[in-house]
Amino acid sequence: DAGVIQSPRHEVTEMGQEVTLRCKPISGHNSLFWYRQTMMRGLELLIYFNNNVPIDDSGMPEDRFSAKMPNASFSTLKIQPSEPRDSAVYFCASSLAGRGEGEQFFGPGTRLTVL
Amino acid sequence: AQSVTQPDIHITVSEGASLELRCNYSYGATPYLFWYVQSPGQGLQLLLKYFSGDTLVQGIKGFEAEFKRSQSSFNLRKPSVHWSDAAEYFCAGSSGTYKYIFGTGTRLKVLA
């Protein structure tokens, strides 16, 4: 079975540019999570979708960040405009239950560098 | 406030030696607890999880963890470390909702 798929794996862009990160969750999973990982702040939950609906976006840092899930097999995280402080590894994860006991499966991550 | 703490940022062990990585939690009730491993450039892979029942949990790759309510701990152990175990290890907890709280991670170095 394919795991969570993320693209691109690496992204280098210049400040002010729009960045779009993509995620394909595991087929059949009904919950999707976007995380950001930095040395300073560790792993932070940005947004949580359940059945394609955003349930908790309290972790989205600011209005420059937006996320969508148009269907059960695809989600995007967009940063516009990007800033150097957005440089981080962004992970997508999916799970079946969306509850605490539902194991979250992580994708390989997208390493974003904003120059 | 709910929290998950990994006191050790770095740990170095020799190959073949035993390993114990510490994790402490602070939750009102018994949380769901997880250990994940992250190899360089990779995502997080679940090693094991504890929900209830037997307090000694077996996971993949020869790892186990023991839930100790009295110590609010969920330490990860392996009797004999292999060079391929070098990675970063994350403990995480959940109160039963979707929201995981991750520890800051412990980076394991294995000496040949």
Side-chain angles (χ1 to χ4, degrees):
Chain A
D1 279 343
V4 175
I5 299 172
Q6 291 187 247
S7 65
R9 293 294 309 275
H10 301 273
E11 177 80 37
V12 180
T13 190
E14 293 190 345
M15 183 173 62
Q17 296 298 305
E18 177 180 295
V19 174
T20 299
L21 311 182
R22 297 172 176 79
C23 174
K24 177 179 170 55
I26 293 173
S27 178
H29 281 188
N30 62 355
S31 296
L32 184 137
F33 308 81
W34 282 101
Y35 287 90
R36 178 171 66 178
Q37 184 181 42
T38 61
M39 290 292 291
M40 291 298 295
R41 300 174 67 91
L43 269 163
E44 303 174 275
L45 177 65
L46 299 178
I47 188 168
Y48 157 58
F49 290 88
N50 184 253
N51 292 322
N52 312 337
V53 176
I55 303 299
D56 181 357
D57 65 355
S58 61
M60 296 287 263
E62 45 196 281
D63 292 346
R64 298 185 297 107
F65 285 69
S66 62
K68 294 182 180 180
M69 192 164 186
N71 57 61
S73 59
F74 184 66
S75 176
T76 60
L77 178 68
K78 185 178 293 187
I79 309 172
Q80 165 65 16
S82 58
E83 297 182 3
R85 61 192 167 123
D86 301 330
S87 297
V89 181
Y90 291 82
F91 288 104
C92 176
S94 70
S95 73
L96 182 56
R99 299 189 301 275
E101 70 272 25
E103 171 189 343
Q104 293 185 20
F105 293 80
F106 283 76
T110 296
R111 182 173 295 276
L112 173 65
T113 302
V114 183
L115 303 174
Chain B
Q2 297 173 345
S3 67
V4 172
T5 303
Q6 293 179 249
D8 305 305
I9 298 174
H10 298 278
I11 281 191
T12 300
V13 299
S14 298
E15 190 170 19
S18 63
L19 172 70
E20 182 168 26
L21 302 182
R22 296 184 292 165
C23 174
N24 295 101
Y25 65 87
S26 175
Y27 278 84
T30 299
Y32 301 125
L33 294 164
F34 309 84
W35 273 101
Y36 282 85
V37 60
Q38 183 180 24
S39 298
Q42 302 297 315
L44 280 71
Q45 181 185 20
L46 184 71
L47 289 174
L48 48 79
K49 57 190 176 186
Y50 173 76
F51 296 152
S52 63
D54 194 345
T55 56
L56 186 61
V57 181
Q58 301 297 321
I60 62 171
K61 304 187 180 188
F63 286 92
E64 66 177 27
E66 186 170 11
F67 171 72
K68 292 186 177 180
R69 186 191 308 274
S70 61
Q71 299 178 19
S72 298
S73 69
F74 187 58
N75 294 349
L76 182 70
R77 301 194 296 246
K78 187 170 185 177
S80 177
V81 170
H82 188 262
W83 65 266
S84 60
D85 293 324
E88 189 154 20
Y89 292 79
F90 292 91
C91 183
S94 166
S95 60
T97 70
Y98 60 89
K99 191 164 279 190
Y100 282 21
I101 297 176
F102 284 88
T104 50
T106 298
R107 188 171 296 277
L108 174 65
K109 182 176 180 180
V110 181
L111 300 177

